[in-house]
Amino acid sequence: MSLPPSARAAVVMLAAGEGRRSGHHTNKVLLPLAGRRVFTWSIESARRLVAVTRTVLVIREEDRDAVMSTIDREIGPPDVTVVVGGDSRHSSEWQALQALAPAIEAGELDVVVIHDAARPLAVTAMFASVIDAALEHGGAIPVRDQGHLAALGEGVQPPERVVAVQTPQAFRAAPLLEAYRQAEADGFVGTDTASCMERYTDVPVLCVDGDAGNIKITFPEDLFLAERLLAKADWDLSGRPRQRRESAMSHLRDLLPHGERQ
């Protein structure tokens, strides 16, 4: 997917969670994955796009030294803006948007993309897909059909569609900033970016195809699965021929439990 040459996007990487279920005392985004730290994989994937002109990384203050040394070692220019997050996902997003506010108000950004740094295998094509859809429609979220998860009682009509929502999520920059300003004034805390946009704007949000390989590092075995997927993709998330979308995705069915195969 090719983006308009004039498109300008900022990517916000959320890395301020604790991630205790990963079985480590270290923040899970700082764990090693195939020779580098978890959070740097998705930053590299997103920044392959010319449209991505700014990167904001939201961290915990206690992780600052480790994060900064990792950025120096594993991430090249342009600079990454590092901000300290809040006590919830919503407040961490708000901290990032405040850092981007001058550029948004100056008309220097069209789209803001919010991504969980604990999802290291988001391919470049997925970032391009949500940015493109947000430019056209106002907002975009990647989803995966999860019909097998619908738990129904006797006589209950099944829902038309059950999906799992992933990140990256992308939204037009100006409405997103205004929505979070209103949320701050009201004391509203959303469960994710889309919930805040739904409450305070009438911006349509398009569902785009998610990716079964876009896993979130939550448990220790997730790191093992992520490394296996990277190996099948020749360690490349760019989406070029023979890379992850064609090779790793075909092997994912062999790595997931039978009930999760689609």
Side-chain angles (χ1 to χ4, degrees), residues 30-204:
L30 291 168
L31 295 173
L33 172 61
R36 59 191 305 165
R37 304 300 167 178
V38 165
F39 79 89
T40 67
W41 282 99
S42 50
I43 289 179
E44 181 185 37
S45 294
R47 299 208 316 182
R48 287 192 179 100
L49 297 172
V50 174
V52 175
T53 59
R54 296 171 186 261
T55 308
V56 178
L57 180 65
V58 186
I59 68 167
R60 303 185 303 174
E61 180 59 47
E62 56 264 44
D63 294 331
R64 181 181 292 275
D65 289 346
V67 166
M68 298 309 294
S69 63
T70 300
I71 289 173
D72 290 342
R73 183 176 64 251
E74 299 182 14
I75 301 175
D79 290 343
V80 175
T81 300
V82 176
V83 301
V84 176
D87 57 3
S88 68
R89 178 192 182 88
H90 180 95
S91 59
S92 290
E93 292 172 341
W94 173 229
Q95 295 301 317
L97 286 170
Q98 290 180 87
L100 291 171
I104 295 173
E105 292 167 339
E108 297 170 358
L109 288 173
D110 303 304
V111 170
V112 175
V113 183
I114 309 289
H115 184 56
D116 292 326
R119 289 186 183 271
L121 305 189
V123 293
T124 302
M126 180 173 287
F127 284 99
S129 178
V130 294
I131 292 171
D132 183 73
L135 284 169
E136 182 176 355
H137 300 279
I141 58 175
V143 300
R144 291 277 299 168
D145 284 310
Q146 301 289 314
H148 64 283
L149 296 181
L152 303 175
E154 184 177 352
V156 177
Q157 184 69 23
E160 291 185 6
R161 191 181 186 191
V162 177
V163 300
V165 178
Q166 300 179 338
T167 67
Q169 301 180 7
F171 303 90
R172 287 280 184 91
L176 180 64
L177 177 60
E178 181 58 27
Y180 272 72
R181 280 178 169 159
Q182 293 184 46
E184 177 67 12
D186 291 348
F188 172 76
V189 177
T191 54
D192 65 359
T193 324
S195 66
C196 187
M197 291 293 285
E198 181 180 11
R199 183 180 179 93
Y200 289 104
T201 77
D202 57 2
V203 171

Side-chain angles (χ1 to χ4, degrees), residues 186-258:
D186 291 348
F188 172 76
V189 177
T191 54
D192 65 359
T193 324
S195 66
C196 187
M197 291 293 285
E198 181 180 11
R199 183 180 179 93
Y200 289 104
T201 77
D202 57 2
V203 171
V205 178
L206 185 72
C207 292
V208 302
D209 289 338
D211 187 339
N214 184 22
I215 63 172
K216 188 172 184 178
I217 304 300
T218 303
F219 301 103
E221 57 267 28
D222 295 330
L223 279 170
F224 171 75
L225 175 58
E227 189 149 343
R228 290 284 302 276
L229 290 173
L230 282 167
K232 295 295 185 182
D234 297 329
W235 318 102
D236 189 341
L237 302 179
S238 67
R240 291 187 292 263
R242 286 194 67 254
Q243 306 307 325
R244 177 172 172 270
R245 187 162 295 277
E246 294 186 12
S247 57
M249 286 297 294
S250 66
H251 291 279
L252 182 63
R253 294 179 177 83
D254 299 328
L255 300 177
L256 292 176
H258 179 74

